[in-house]
Amino acid sequence: MMGAPVHEERRNTATLRSEDVLAALGAGVAAICLTVLIFHWIAPFSGLLGFIVVAFGMFLALYAALLWLDGNGPAVRDRLMSAVVHGLAALLLIALIFVVTFTVGSGLKALVHLNFFTQDLTHAGPLAPLTEGGALHAVVGTLEQIGMALAVTVPLGLLCALFLSETRGGFTRFVRTIVEAMTALPSIVAGLFIYATVVLLLHAPKSGFAASLAIGVMMLPIMVRAADVVLRLVPGPLKEASLALGASRWQTVRHVVLPTARPGLATAIILATARGIGETSPVLLTAGYATALNADPFHDPQASLPLATFTLIKSPQDGDVARGYGTAAVLLALVLLLFIIARLIGGRGPLDLSARQRRARDRASARDVARFAQRRPAAYPSAPLSSAVQPGAPVREEEQ
Amino acid sequence: MTSTLLDAASVRERRRRPAPSGGPDRVFRIVLRLAGVAVLVLMSLVGAFLLNKAISALQVAGWSFLTTEKWEPDAGEFGIAAVLTGTLLIAGVAITIAVPLATGMALYVSEYAPRRIRRFLVGLIDLMAAVPSVVYGLWGFKFLQGHVIGLARWISTYFGWIPIFKVDGSDPRDPLATETVYTSSTFIAGMVVALMVAPVICSIMRESFSQAPIGEREGAYALGATRWGMVRSVILPFGRGGMIGGTMLGLGRALGETIAVYLIISPVFVIQPHVLQNGANSVSALIALRYGESTAMALSALMAAGVALFVLTLIVNFAAGSIVARSRSGAESDS
């Protein structure tokens, strides 16, 4: 072993070798051919999904066999698992994107007619062409219902999240446990609760208001929990510094905790809204369904986007099915919009201010400096005036 | 400093509890507490009301509530044996399909994907988790229903000897045999729910995979591990808590799913263990189907079914929460 020096060949350290590409290509072609053979002669079969699954399985087996010819155990396993991971990821991604594009693509038939956004379905029956009737009633219903649900859940949810994050003790822990338990409440059970209490016990009719109550009951624990998580991420030293400077709890929350957590809170609210906007089951039980535009949420049934989708899609008529796809596409667009807004707000860190926010902060601190300068001589007669003004001087110059 | 240390006794005397500041701060604390109490009361009200109604139904049905398959509340004969089994089967199919897909996707995003597209993929997965369930249901109802028959027939033809894949009334040798025995099945509902919960599971798994410590990763590579070797010896053990927790959270979502299931299945009130065969049921679909029945007894019975489902999802969610929390606190990383 220790004999003459061996001329060492430089090792190829590239992660992608031509043999691997060829092996993968060969295994792929062979797998497709074999699967065609199996499907047509050996075990007759139809359907694209099964073809893909069987072909992928074949590919893995053939690829493993090919790699085994020139590799050792760990290398073969590594390449094989890499193929498995890529395959699974591609399968899931394609399936998910297909679900969305299928809906939007089928909805385009209805969406291209502008009347889809300006009319309701009062005069357009199932047999009416797509140039008549639209989903205005559902859009209005969804916006009103989610708006009313948010009007209650946002203040209540944020205050409760503040309560959970700002206080300690047995009662706080108890409330947190209950809220966490209620996030597991299936949305249909929330709908059933509102149906049994508001509609049956109080004899209120099925209406947009009842639907917004059901959405609110479902959304409140989700929002409290998400906001609580965000608020607890506010660094403790920041709060302690504020308290140590003599600020009260309220001032600390108002000027330190909330501004720091604002992007996260906005994201929590928007994602809970996206969840609430798309839930069909509570609305199904409580809103009723109307084909006419009903802007009054307190009387008479009111449609909403998910409910309209659900109702229209079950219709045997092609026109209504196309409208159902259209409402689903509008719903998707709404969720996408909310999601993008959440990303834009949440993408910015708590101390990463925009130019406008920075100017506002500078103005505020300049005001503070002016206020200090005014008050200090009276409160602390012995303090030299110059040192009080000094820190703010640069800010003042910026202002002018 | 030294003087204060010396006369500690006098310090102790002078030390006083800071009095709670009055004025706006007091109002603030009261408002916070009120909000907490309000949410607590609201949530307890929901729970208490459901439980109260459910108990009145349970008193009629007794223990047979758990063993009866029929659902005839007005005749006093109702139970969740069929619907609860159906729920569990649908969720089981969904998890069986979703977990491998979600694991593959999470591993791809955190380990294999090029850095440039990683952020985009993370955003896309989160967006998919927010897609309303009615959209998935729509796709399953209108598209998958028609296209999965071939796969279902193939599985039942060649794997029908496994009891769960058996389909009664199918004859693979008869080319003119009706295909309706394969529609509206647990399998199709499970596939749709799988696609729905996969992004949820995936985003939790990805988060826990990306928290695997960099030192151990590089250590594995330095010892000559391949990428898969590193994944198997570092990423998967560190992410185990996230994998289990994410799976259980997905299971919780799958158990409570209504609309997608309701659109696809054709409800039956017998225990239907053959997942490929027409006819399935779930608790939430039962509620959506029967809530319009006007008698008080029927409604109480539905509440009882709803409470049973709630208890199930509650157990699953709490278990998931504690597992995820334990994996995040670093309890597994100090071994």
Side-chain angles (χ1 to χ4, degrees):
Chain A
M1 287 299 280
M2 294 182 58
V6 184
H7 174 67
E8 282 190 40
E9 226 175 84
R10 192 184 165 87
R11 285 187 65 176
N12 181 7
T13 53
T15 47
L16 196 67
R17 297 180 303 170
S18 57
E19 295 103 286
D20 299 331
V21 178
L22 287 179
L25 270 179
V29 171
I32 290 174
C33 296
L34 253 178
T35 316
V36 169
L37 193 67
I38 289 178
F39 271 37
H40 283 272
W41 281 283
I42 300 171
F45 191 94
S46 61
L48 185 67
L49 183 71
F51 187 89
I52 294 172
V53 169
V54 174
F56 185 60
M58 287 284 171
F59 167 75
L60 288 182
L62 290 166
Y63 190 48
L66 275 178
L67 290 173
W68 209 272
L69 293 178
D70 67 346
N72 53 354
V76 172
R77 274 199 293 279
D78 178 47
R79 297 235 147 62
L80 205 59
M81 287 317 292
S82 170
V84 170
V85 166
H86 279 87
L88 287 174
L91 191 62
L92 181 60
L93 213 56
I94 290 170
L96 289 177
I97 290 174
F98 179 64
V99 169
V100 172
T101 48
F102 172 77
T103 309
V104 175
S106 311
L108 276 183
K109 241 190 294 176
L111 289 176
V112 287
H113 303 292
L114 263 183
N115 57 301
F116 190 75
F117 302 99
T118 56
Q119 296 180 1
D120 60 20
L121 286 175
T122 327
H123 304 296
L127 289 172
L130 287 174
T131 46
E132 279 174 39
L136 183 67
H137 59 307
V139 176
V140 169
T142 285
L143 292 182
E144 279 186 5
Q145 287 167 18
I146 198 78
M148 280 195 295
L150 284 177
V152 178
T153 51
V154 168
L156 193 58
L158 287 190
L159 280 176
C160 182
L162 271 177
F163 169 72
L164 292 182
S165 64
E166 291 297 311
T167 59
R168 309 217 176 318
F171 182 61
T172 308
R173 268 202 305 279
F174 179 61
V175 174
R176 180 175 286 140
T177 312
I178 294 291
V179 166
E180 278 185 10
M182 289 315 268
T183 55
L185 184 75
S187 56
I188 184 102
V189 181
L192 189 64
F193 168 73
I194 294 295
Y195 177 72
T197 51
V198 175
V199 179
L200 292 185
L201 270 184
L202 302 178
H203 299 293
K206 281 189 174 187
S207 63
F209 179 65
S212 72
L213 284 180
I215 296 174
V217 165
M218 190 213 86
M219 226 162 61
L220 185 61
I222 298 175
M223 194 174 287
V224 171
R225 197 173 174 190
D228 179 36
V229 168
V230 172
L231 285 174
R232 281 204 278 172
L233 287 178
V234 174
L238 220 53
K239 279 192 256 181
E240 283 158 16
S242 164
L243 292 172
L245 285 172
S248 65
R249 297 306 282 243
W250 158 241
Q251 285 167 330
T252 305
V253 166
R254 166 84 180 71
H255 294 288
V256 176
V257 175
L258 286 183
T260 313
R262 189 160 46 197
L265 286 177
T267 312
I269 292 172
I270 292 170
L271 290 183
T273 310
R275 187 82 187 274
I277 233 175
E279 276 297 346
T280 319
S281 34
V283 184
L284 174 70
L285 268 59
T286 51
Y289 177 70
T291 52
L293 175 65
N294 174 16
D296 176 12
F298 295 98
H299 303 97
D300 300 328
Q302 190 182 37
S304 65
L305 282 172
L307 187 58
T309 307
F310 175 73
T311 315
L312 290 172
I313 208 72
K314 287 195 302 180
S315 158
Q317 298 298 337
D318 285 344
D320 266 1
V321 172
R323 288 191 189 101
Y325 285 124
T327 49
V330 173
L331 183 60
L332 268 176
L334 218 52
V335 170
L336 181 68
L337 183 72
L338 286 172
F339 195 80
I340 289 173
I341 295 174
R343 279 269 141 168
L344 287 182
I345 298 174
R348 205 176 266 281
L351 296 175
D352 181 16
L353 304 175
S354 67
R356 186 198 182 124
Q357 283 170 317
R358 209 173 300 127
R359 279 199 298 277
R361 188 190 58 182
D362 288 348
R363 271 199 299 280
S365 67
R367 267 199 306 279
D368 285 345
V369 167
R371 196 159 50 88
F372 290 165
Q374 215 175 18
R375 284 183 58 170
R376 180 147 303 193
Y380 305 99
S382 61
L385 188 71
S386 59
S387 72
V389 181
Q390 209 61 47
V395 179
R396 230 178 227 184
E397 277 165 19
E398 246 173 55
E399 263 281 289
Q400 296 156 357
Chain B
M1 274 317 271
T2 45
S3 67
T4 50
L5 282 177
L6 283 176
D7 49 14
S10 63
V11 170
R12 199 173 297 138
E13 270 172 36
R14 270 189 279 125
R15 181 183 289 165
R16 57 187 173 82
R17 282 190 63 197
S21 43
D25 213 26
R26 189 163 170 178
V27 176
F28 174 63
R29 272 202 309 274
I30 293 174
V31 167
L32 277 196
R33 191 158 267 268
L34 277 182
V37 171
V39 170
L40 179 69
V41 166
L42 202 65
M43 296 291 117
S44 321
L45 202 69
V46 177
F49 183 82
L50 288 175
L51 212 59
N52 180 27
K53 286 277 186 169
I55 284 173
S56 68
L58 284 178
Q59 275 167 349
V60 175
W63 283 107
S64 69
F65 183 68
L66 292 176
T67 54
T68 312
E69 293 176 25
K70 267 189 270 182
W71 193 266
E72 285 153 15
D74 294 323
E77 261 193 285
F78 58 94
I80 52 170
V83 284
L84 202 62
T85 323
T87 305
L88 290 174
L89 274 175
I90 291 174
V93 171
I95 286 298
T96 315
I97 297 173
V99 166
L101 287 174
T103 314
M105 188 74 210
L107 277 179
Y108 176 73
V109 172
S110 78
E111 304 304 320
Y112 289 86
R115 209 164 284 278
R116 278 164 289 139
I117 64 167
R118 202 168 285 180
R119 255 183 75 88
F120 170 73
L121 282 179
V122 169
L124 191 66
I125 295 290
D126 288 350
L127 177 61
M128 287 302 171
V131 167
S133 60
V134 71
V135 173
Y136 288 104
L138 176 73
W139 177 77
F141 178 57
K142 282 287 169 189
F143 178 84
L144 193 66
Q145 185 91 281
H147 287 75
V148 89
I149 291 174
L151 181 65
R153 186 174 51 206
W154 192 73
I155 295 177
S156 82
T157 307
Y158 297 100
F159 296 93
W161 45 273
I162 305 173
I164 178 166
F165 292 135
K166 198 166 165 299
V167 172
D168 295 329
S170 73
D171 184 5
R173 277 175 297 278
D174 178 6
L176 296 175
T178 173
E179 288 185 328
T180 50
V181 287
Y182 300 110
T183 56
S184 305
S185 64
T186 306
F187 180 61
I188 300 173
M191 275 178 91
V192 173
V193 176
L195 277 185
M196 197 180 303
V197 298
V200 179
I201 303 176
C202 178
S203 71
I204 292 172
M205 280 190 184
R206 181 198 57 77
E207 210 184 309
S208 77
F209 287 160
S210 63
Q211 279 170 353
I214 189 87
E216 271 83 343
R217 285 170 193 246
E218 289 177 354
Y221 280 137
L223 288 172
T226 56
R227 176 139 57 176
W228 171 245
M230 191 278 289
V231 168
R232 222 188 59 172
S233 58
V234 178
I235 304 290
L236 292 183
F238 272 104
R240 203 192 303 130
M243 283 177 76
I244 299 172
T247 304
M248 293 185 84
L249 274 185
L251 183 63
R253 284 288 278 280
L255 288 171
E257 177 47 42
T258 311
I259 287 303
V261 175
Y262 182 51
L263 272 174
I264 288 165
I265 60 166
S266 61
V268 290
F269 287 93
V270 289
I271 294 179
Q272 169 68 281
H274 304 147
V275 294
L276 296 174
Q277 194 169 340
N278 183 308
N281 216 334
S282 83
V283 176
S284 43
L286 167 78
I287 296 175
L289 192 67
R290 295 288 186 87
Y291 79 97
E293 291 176 357
S294 52
T295 64
M297 191 62 225
L299 208 62
S300 299
L302 285 181
M303 296 259 181
V307 166
L309 179 65
F310 182 32
V311 168
L312 201 62
T313 53
L314 196 61
I315 294 169
V316 169
N317 267 27
F318 265 115
S322 71
I323 291 171
V324 173
R326 192 153 14 113
S327 77
R328 276 197 191 135
S329 68
E332 288 176 29
S333 64
D334 53 17
S335 58

